[in-house]
Amino acid sequence: MIDFPEAINNPYIDMNERLTALRSFHQTEQLNGNFPKKSEEINNHIHTVYSFSPYTPSMAALQARKSGLAAAGSVDHDSIGAAMEMLEACAILGIGSCVGFEVRVSFRKGADGKTCPFADRKINNPDSRGIAYMTVQGVPRKAIVRSQEFLSPIREQRLKRTEAMTVSANVLLKEAGFNEIDFQRDICLKSKYAQGGGITERHLLASAARIIIDKYGKGQELVLALKTKLGIIVPVKIEVLLSQADNPHYLFDLLGILKQDFLPKIFIQPDEKECVPAQEIVSFAESSGAISSYAYLGDVGESPTGDKRAEKYEDDYIEELFAELARLKYRAVTYMPPRNTREQLKNVQRLCREMGFMEITGVDINTSRQSFNCPEVLQNEFRHLLDTTWALIAHERLTTVDKRFSLFSDENPLAAINLKERLTLYANLGKRLNLNNPQESACEMAAEIDKGRFI
């Protein structure tokens, strides 16, 4: 087992200290031949400590490289705070990188401003009707600060709602004989909020989980307390995991069951100050040279992250939904091959082709139990997602040079080329980047495009 320097995954030190530790570690391990050969696999939906995750951006990049990934990307809730560190960490490790953020948006009004047909439907959000998850990806370096400023009021609103939910959680915890959560000490100071990170329900639940562990320890006594003190139904599979005191993923396993059976008792629905109308995020992405992407969930059987019940989402009305996405001028759809059936994904792929959406992938990593690998993308029906990832990487680098080079810009010198050919061209450019210094390569490529080399 590789022994990682503690500094690489220390969220409480400066990012430059983490990067210095990563650089030194990489040089040593590379000399010793301890890194696996890179495969073609990619994952550009990795959460970091800037939302909720066991990984700093440096450690996320290192775990990606350790898993043999060719490229990795950070996507945090309501935050792009991980971006600069993620880009630098991937460059140190010699893998491709891209950055973005994930937000929840309101579909309660349509592109025409009238009441939306999805206002009272569950779209891709287990907790709310008329609210959907989306990502903004391929954010150029020049737009990172602007993105963080744009997200600041959204983060603030979510902070206030989480604080209100903490009050309700404390009532239940106190009634059950547990200590109460101190919002500042147990949630804010354990997050990256002060450094531009987001605070989510998982921060609250992790605090509750720690309090429960502190009182009962890890094992069968804690399982009994969940049932008798908090009235939580513990599935047999989870009971087995929580009965094992040496379970290295204990906190995340406990958090998962709290998300299913404790969170609904305290949940407060977000408003449109926190979940702004979808068209606002789409417009912001367009103005920044980034790519707006709808996050397809699909009807859920068994949740890959273990915190979603089997439930129906957008599959029954997906054609109507995708037509609305087109009206709202979404540019892409992101989906996760391990999450859905082949039939579901074939339908999504068909609709993307018909509507002219770019297809993006990446497996949602936010717990220690999850693997960074996604071997499904190497299968024939998903291999094109490898190319769209490299196209996304090239887009991000070229748009940093000049916003004209955004994949979807009307001013792009390659705008006359159809999307499929443009994605292939950008993918080839992405693969040509010097991954240790990708921005320098992008400047040279931008000059080639302007000279008409690819037209």
Side-chain angles (χ1 to χ4, degrees):
M1 175 179 283
I2 297 176
D3 185 18
F4 301 114
E6 184 180 345
I8 295 174
N9 205 38
N10 186 340
Y12 304 111
I13 62 176
D14 183 78
M15 80 169 192
N16 290 317
E17 293 182 65
R18 291 193 291 269
L19 289 169
T20 297
L22 177 66
R23 190 175 288 107
S24 175
F25 176 74
H26 177 246
Q27 289 171 351
T28 301
E29 294 302 304
Q30 194 174 38
L31 284 173
N32 294 335
N34 289 336
F35 278 113
K37 182 180 178 181
K38 281 188 282 188
S39 72
E40 295 179 273
E41 281 186 60
I42 49 83
N43 191 346
N44 51 45
H45 198 119
I46 301 168
H47 292 281
T48 77
V49 292
Y50 283 87
S51 48
F52 190 85
S53 166
Y55 307 113
T56 64
S58 290
M59 181 55 92
L62 181 55
Q63 290 285 8
R65 178 64 188 90
K66 176 175 170 270
S67 300
L69 300 191
S74 62
V75 174
D76 280 307
H77 291 286
D78 309 327
S79 171
I80 197 167
M84 295 304 292
E85 184 177 347
M86 189 70 179
L87 292 171
E88 182 61 27
C90 287
I92 289 169
L93 296 167
I95 60 176
S97 61
C98 51
V99 296
F101 57 87
E102 183 171 8
V103 288
R104 292 152 308 134
V105 294
S106 173
F107 270 74
R108 289 169 182 160
K109 289 186 179 179
D112 57 3
K114 298 178 181 178
T115 300
C116 182
F118 315 110
D120 196 40
R121 295 179 181 177
K122 279 200 171 180
I123 307 172
N124 63 2
N125 186 336
D127 302 316
S128 306
R129 294 181 180 273
I131 300 292
Y133 282 95
M134 66 172 288
T135 60
V136 174
Q137 299 193 238
V139 178
R141 190 176 291 236
K142 292 176 180 177
I144 290 173
V145 172
R146 182 169 175 249
S147 296
Q148 196 71 321
E149 291 170 350
F150 176 81
L151 292 167
S152 182
I154 294 173
R155 291 171 49 243
E156 183 178 354
Q157 290 299 319
R158 191 164 192 178
L159 177 79
K160 291 177 180 178
R161 185 171 62 87
T162 306
E163 186 170 15
M165 287 191 291
T166 302
V167 173
S168 299
N170 280 337
V171 171
L172 297 181
L173 290 169
K174 187 175 181 180
E175 288 175 350
F178 294 101
N179 291 332
E180 296 180 34
I181 298 168
D182 183 305
F183 186 71
Q184 287 297 321
R185 182 194 66 209
D186 300 331
I187 295 180
C188 292
L189 292 180
K190 289 186 182 295
S191 76
K192 297 293 285 182
Y193 186 81
Q195 294 78 38
I199 282 183
T200 73
E201 289 83 356
R202 282 185 169 88
H203 289 90
L204 190 167
L205 296 173
S207 297
R210 292 186 186 101
I211 285 172
I212 295 169
I213 292 170
D214 285 345
K215 185 173 179 67
Y216 287 101
K218 299 176 180 179
Q220 192 60 46
E221 190 178 359
L222 180 144
V223 174
L224 182 62
L226 290 177
K227 297 175 181 178
T228 59
K229 302 293 185 181
L230 292 170
I232 291 175
I233 298 171
V234 183
V236 174
K237 179 180 177 181
I238 302 300
E239 182 168 348
V240 171
L241 295 174
L242 294 181
S243 297
Q244 300 167 0
D246 59 349
N247 172 3
H249 313 290
Y250 203 98
L251 178 69
F252 290 93
D253 291 335
L254 178 53
L255 188 158
I257 194 65
L258 292 177
K259 188 173 189 296
Q260 284 196 17
D261 281 350
F262 184 76
L263 181 62
K265 299 173 184 176
I266 62 172
F267 190 74
I268 298 171
Q269 287 293 336
D271 60 21
E272 289 198 354
K273 291 181 181 177
E274 180 182 332
C275 300
V276 302
Q279 51 264 46
E280 288 189 26
I281 303 293
V282 172
S283 296
F284 174 79
E286 202 76 9
S287 69
S288 302
I291 296 173
S292 55
S293 181
Y294 172 77
Y296 172 73
L297 177 61
D299 298 346
V300 172
E302 182 177 353
S303 168
T305 53
D307 61 359
K308 292 182 179 66
R309 290 187 174 90
E311 195 168 355
K312 290 185 69 64
Y313 292 96
E314 68 268 66
D315 283 343
D316 284 348
Y317 52 88
I318 191 167
E319 301 216 11
E320 183 184 3
L321 174 62
F322 272 47
E324 181 68 11
L325 298 178
R327 284 192 290 272
L328 287 165
K329 301 188 186 306
Y330 273 78
R331 298 301 192 179
V333 171
T334 180
Y335 57 86
M336 305 180 192
R339 172 171 273 165
N340 303 107
T341 66
R342 290 295 189 270
E343 291 71 23
Q344 285 176 308
L345 295 177
K346 283 181 181 178
N347 197 37
V348 168
Q349 290 173 348
R350 173 184 65 81
L351 287 167
C352 285
R353 289 192 298 270
E354 291 177 2
M355 300 286 183
F357 294 138
M358 179 182 182
E359 296 173 47
I360 298 174
T361 195
V363 177
D364 192 350
I365 301 293
N366 56 27
T367 78
S368 58
R369 190 175 285 283
Q370 292 171 273
S371 169
F372 276 62
N373 293 101
C374 180
E376 288 84 354
V377 297
L378 301 179
Q379 296 172 9
N380 288 338
E381 60 264 54
F382 301 121
R383 286 192 67 86
H384 64 289
L385 297 172
L386 302 174
D387 279 348
T388 58
T389 295
W390 287 107
L392 186 68
I393 290 168
H395 153 90
E396 192 174 302
R397 296 295 179 275
L398 289 167
T399 309
T400 292
V401 176
D402 191 320
K403 204 163 70 173
R404 290 182 300 118
F405 296 114
S406 170
L407 263 166
F408 295 95
S409 172
D410 291 336
E411 298 178 11
N412 192 325
L414 305 172
I417 301 174
N418 68 52
L419 179 60
K420 183 178 180 180
E421 292 176 353
R422 199 156 66 246
L423 287 170
T424 299
L425 173 57
Y426 268 58
N428 291 334
L429 293 175
K431 294 171 187 177
R432 282 177 47 194
L433 290 167
N434 172 2
L435 297 179
N436 296 117
N437 190 356
Q439 204 53 54
E440 182 178 319
S441 302
C443 290
E444 296 169 359
M445 291 174 183
E448 289 183 29
I449 293 172
D450 267 336
K451 291 175 181 176
R453 296 277 174 86
F454 302 105
I455 299 176

Short mmCIF file of all heavy atoms in Angstrom, two decimals, residues 184-211:
data_model
loop_
_atom_site.label_atom_id
_atom_site.label_comp_id
_atom_site.label_asym_id
_atom_site.label_seq_id
_atom_site.Cartn_x
_atom_site.Cartn_y
_atom_site.Cartn_z
N GLN A 184 -21.50 26.44 14.17
CA GLN A 184 -20.22 27.04 13.79
C GLN A 184 -19.06 26.06 13.97
O GLN A 184 -18.26 25.85 13.06
CB GLN A 184 -19.97 28.31 14.61
CG GLN A 184 -20.82 29.49 14.22
CD GLN A 184 -20.55 29.94 12.78
OE1 GLN A 184 -19.41 29.96 12.31
NE2 GLN A 184 -21.62 30.31 12.09
N ARG A 185 -19.02 25.44 15.14
CA ARG A 185 -17.88 24.55 15.44
C ARG A 185 -17.92 23.25 14.66
O ARG A 185 -16.91 22.81 14.11
CB ARG A 185 -17.88 24.26 16.94
CG ARG A 185 -16.72 23.37 17.41
CD ARG A 185 -16.98 22.84 18.81
NE ARG A 185 -18.13 21.93 18.83
CZ ARG A 185 -18.93 21.77 19.89
NH1 ARG A 185 -18.73 22.46 21.00
NH2 ARG A 185 -19.95 20.92 19.82
N ASP A 186 -19.10 22.64 14.60
CA ASP A 186 -19.20 21.28 14.05
C ASP A 186 -19.45 21.24 12.55
O ASP A 186 -19.23 20.21 11.92
CB ASP A 186 -20.32 20.51 14.76
CG ASP A 186 -20.09 20.38 16.25
OD1 ASP A 186 -18.91 20.37 16.65
OD2 ASP A 186 -21.06 20.30 17.02
N ILE A 187 -19.95 22.33 12.00
CA ILE A 187 -20.26 22.34 10.56
C ILE A 187 -19.40 23.36 9.82
O ILE A 187 -18.61 23.00 8.95
CB ILE A 187 -21.77 22.60 10.33
CG1 ILE A 187 -22.58 21.42 10.88
CG2 ILE A 187 -22.05 22.79 8.84
CD1 ILE A 187 -24.08 21.55 10.72
N CYS A 188 -19.53 24.63 10.18
CA CYS A 188 -18.80 25.66 9.42
C CYS A 188 -17.29 25.47 9.47
O CYS A 188 -16.62 25.51 8.44
CB CYS A 188 -19.18 27.05 9.94
SG CYS A 188 -20.89 27.51 9.59
N LEU A 189 -16.76 25.24 10.67
CA LEU A 189 -15.31 25.14 10.80
C LEU A 189 -14.75 23.82 10.26
O LEU A 189 -13.55 23.71 10.03
CB LEU A 189 -14.90 25.32 12.27
CG LEU A 189 -15.12 26.73 12.83
CD1 LEU A 189 -14.68 26.80 14.30
CD2 LEU A 189 -14.36 27.78 12.01
N LYS A 190 -15.62 22.85 10.06
CA LYS A 190 -15.17 21.58 9.46
C LYS A 190 -15.37 21.58 7.94
O LYS A 190 -15.09 20.59 7.27
CB LYS A 190 -15.91 20.40 10.10
CG LYS A 190 -15.48 20.11 11.53
CD LYS A 190 -16.15 18.85 12.05
CE LYS A 190 -15.74 18.59 13.49
NZ LYS A 190 -14.31 18.30 13.63
N SER A 191 -15.86 22.68 7.42
CA SER A 191 -16.08 22.82 5.98
C SER A 191 -15.04 23.78 5.40
O SER A 191 -14.20 24.32 6.12
CB SER A 191 -17.49 23.36 5.70
OG SER A 191 -17.53 24.75 5.98
N LYS A 192 -15.12 24.01 4.09
CA LYS A 192 -14.27 25.00 3.43
C LYS A 192 -15.08 26.26 3.09
O LYS A 192 -14.73 26.99 2.16
CB LYS A 192 -13.67 24.40 2.16
CG LYS A 192 -12.75 23.21 2.40
CD LYS A 192 -11.48 23.59 3.12
CE LYS A 192 -10.51 24.30 2.21
NZ LYS A 192 -9.25 24.64 2.90
N TYR A 193 -16.16 26.50 3.83
CA TYR A 193 -17.03 27.63 3.50
C TYR A 193 -16.26 28.96 3.50
O TYR A 193 -16.43 29.77 2.59
CB TYR A 193 -18.20 27.71 4.48
CG TYR A 193 -19.22 28.76 4.10
CD1 TYR A 193 -20.18 28.50 3.13
CD2 TYR A 193 -19.19 30.03 4.67
CE1 TYR A 193 -21.10 29.46 2.75
CE2 TYR A 193 -20.09 31.01 4.30
CZ TYR A 193 -21.05 30.72 3.34
OH TYR A 193 -21.95 31.68 2.95
N ALA A 194 -15.41 29.16 4.48
CA ALA A 194 -14.66 30.43 4.57
C ALA A 194 -13.70 30.60 3.41
O ALA A 194 -13.29 31.73 3.10
CB ALA A 194 -13.90 30.48 5.90
N GLN A 195 -13.35 29.51 2.74
CA GLN A 195 -12.45 29.58 1.58
C GLN A 195 -13.22 29.41 0.26
O GLN A 195 -12.63 29.09 -0.77
CB GLN A 195 -11.38 28.49 1.68
CG GLN A 195 -10.40 28.67 2.83
CD GLN A 195 -10.98 28.24 4.17
OE1 GLN A 195 -11.71 27.26 4.25
NE2 GLN A 195 -10.67 28.99 5.21
N GLY A 196 -14.53 29.63 0.29
CA GLY A 196 -15.32 29.56 -0.93
C GLY A 196 -15.99 28.23 -1.19
O GLY A 196 -16.54 28.02 -2.27
N GLY A 197 -15.93 27.33 -0.22
CA GLY A 197 -16.58 26.04 -0.39
C GLY A 197 -18.07 26.11 -0.09
O GLY A 197 -18.57 27.08 0.47
N GLY A 198 -18.78 25.06 -0.47
CA GLY A 198 -20.21 24.99 -0.20
C GLY A 198 -20.49 24.16 1.04
O GLY A 198 -19.69 23.31 1.42
N ILE A 199 -21.62 24.43 1.67
CA ILE A 199 -22.09 23.61 2.79
C ILE A 199 -23.36 22.92 2.35
O ILE A 199 -24.28 23.54 1.82
CB ILE A 199 -22.32 24.46 4.06
CG1 ILE A 199 -20.96 24.76 4.71
CG2 ILE A 199 -23.24 23.75 5.04
CD1 ILE A 199 -21.04 25.52 6.00
N THR A 200 -23.42 21.60 2.55
CA THR A 200 -24.55 20.81 2.09
C THR A 200 -25.18 20.07 3.27
O THR A 200 -24.65 20.09 4.39
CB THR A 200 -24.11 19.78 1.03
OG1 THR A 200 -23.38 18.73 1.69
CG2 THR A 200 -23.24 20.41 -0.03
N GLU A 201 -26.28 19.38 2.99
CA GLU A 201 -26.92 18.57 4.02
C GLU A 201 -25.96 17.50 4.55
O GLU A 201 -26.07 17.09 5.71
CB GLU A 201 -28.16 17.88 3.44
CG GLU A 201 -29.33 18.81 3.17
CD GLU A 201 -29.25 19.54 1.84
OE1 GLU A 201 -28.23 19.39 1.13
OE2 GLU A 201 -30.20 20.26 1.51
N ARG A 202 -25.02 17.08 3.73
CA ARG A 202 -24.08 16.04 4.18
C ARG A 202 -23.19 16.56 5.32
O ARG A 202 -22.77 15.78 6.19
CB ARG A 202 -23.22 15.55 3.01
CG ARG A 202 -23.95 14.57 2.10
CD ARG A 202 -23.01 14.03 1.03
NE ARG A 202 -23.59 12.92 0.30
CZ ARG A 202 -24.35 13.04 -0.79
NH1 ARG A 202 -24.61 14.25 -1.27
NH2 ARG A 202 -24.84 11.99 -1.39
N HIS A 203 -22.87 17.84 5.33
CA HIS A 203 -22.11 18.39 6.45
C HIS A 203 -22.89 18.26 7.75
O HIS A 203 -22.35 17.89 8.79
CB HIS A 203 -21.76 19.86 6.19
CG HIS A 203 -20.74 20.08 5.13
ND1 HIS A 203 -21.07 20.25 3.81
CD2 HIS A 203 -19.38 20.16 5.20
CE1 HIS A 203 -19.96 20.43 3.09
NE2 HIS A 203 -18.93 20.37 3.92
N LEU A 204 -24.17 18.58 7.69
CA LEU A 204 -25.03 18.47 8.87
C LEU A 204 -25.12 17.01 9.32
O LEU A 204 -24.97 16.71 10.51
CB LEU A 204 -26.42 19.02 8.51
CG LEU A 204 -27.46 19.24 9.63
CD1 LEU A 204 -28.62 20.08 9.10
CD2 LEU A 204 -28.01 17.94 10.19
N LEU A 205 -25.36 16.11 8.39
CA LEU A 205 -25.50 14.70 8.72
C LEU A 205 -24.20 14.10 9.25
O LEU A 205 -24.22 13.24 10.13
CB LEU A 205 -25.99 13.92 7.51
CG LEU A 205 -27.39 14.32 7.01
CD1 LEU A 205 -27.71 13.61 5.70
CD2 LEU A 205 -28.46 14.03 8.04
N ALA A 206 -23.08 14.55 8.72
CA ALA A 206 -21.79 14.06 9.22
C ALA A 206 -21.58 14.49 10.67
O ALA A 206 -21.06 13.72 11.49
CB ALA A 206 -20.65 14.59 8.35
N SER A 207 -22.03 15.71 10.99
CA SER A 207 -21.93 16.18 12.38
C SER A 207 -22.80 15.34 13.29
O SER A 207 -22.39 14.95 14.39
CB SER A 207 -22.34 17.66 12.46
OG SER A 207 -21.46 18.46 11.71
N ALA A 208 -24.03 15.04 12.83
CA ALA A 208 -24.91 14.18 13.62
C ALA A 208 -24.30 12.79 13.78
O ALA A 208 -24.35 12.19 14.87
CB ALA A 208 -26.28 14.10 12.95
N ALA A 209 -23.70 12.28 12.71
CA ALA A 209 -23.08 10.95 12.76
C ALA A 209 -21.95 10.92 13.79
O ALA A 209 -21.82 9.95 14.56
CB ALA A 209 -22.56 10.57 11.38
N ARG A 210 -21.15 11.96 13.82
CA ARG A 210 -20.03 12.00 14.79
C ARG A 210 -20.55 12.02 16.22
O ARG A 210 -19.97 11.39 17.12
CB ARG A 210 -19.15 13.22 14.51
CG ARG A 210 -18.37 13.15 13.19
CD ARG A 210 -17.41 14.31 13.04
NE ARG A 210 -16.78 14.30 11.72
CZ ARG A 210 -17.15 15.07 10.71
NH1 ARG A 210 -18.15 15.94 10.86
NH2 ARG A 210 -16.53 14.99 9.55
N ILE A 211 -21.64 12.75 16.45
CA ILE A 211 -22.23 12.82 17.79
C ILE A 211 -22.74 11.45 18.21
O ILE A 211 -22.57 11.02 19.36
CB ILE A 211 -23.36 13.88 17.81
CG1 ILE A 211 -22.74 15.28 17.81
CG2 ILE A 211 -24.28 13.69 19.00
CD1 ILE A 211 -23.74 16.40 17.63
#
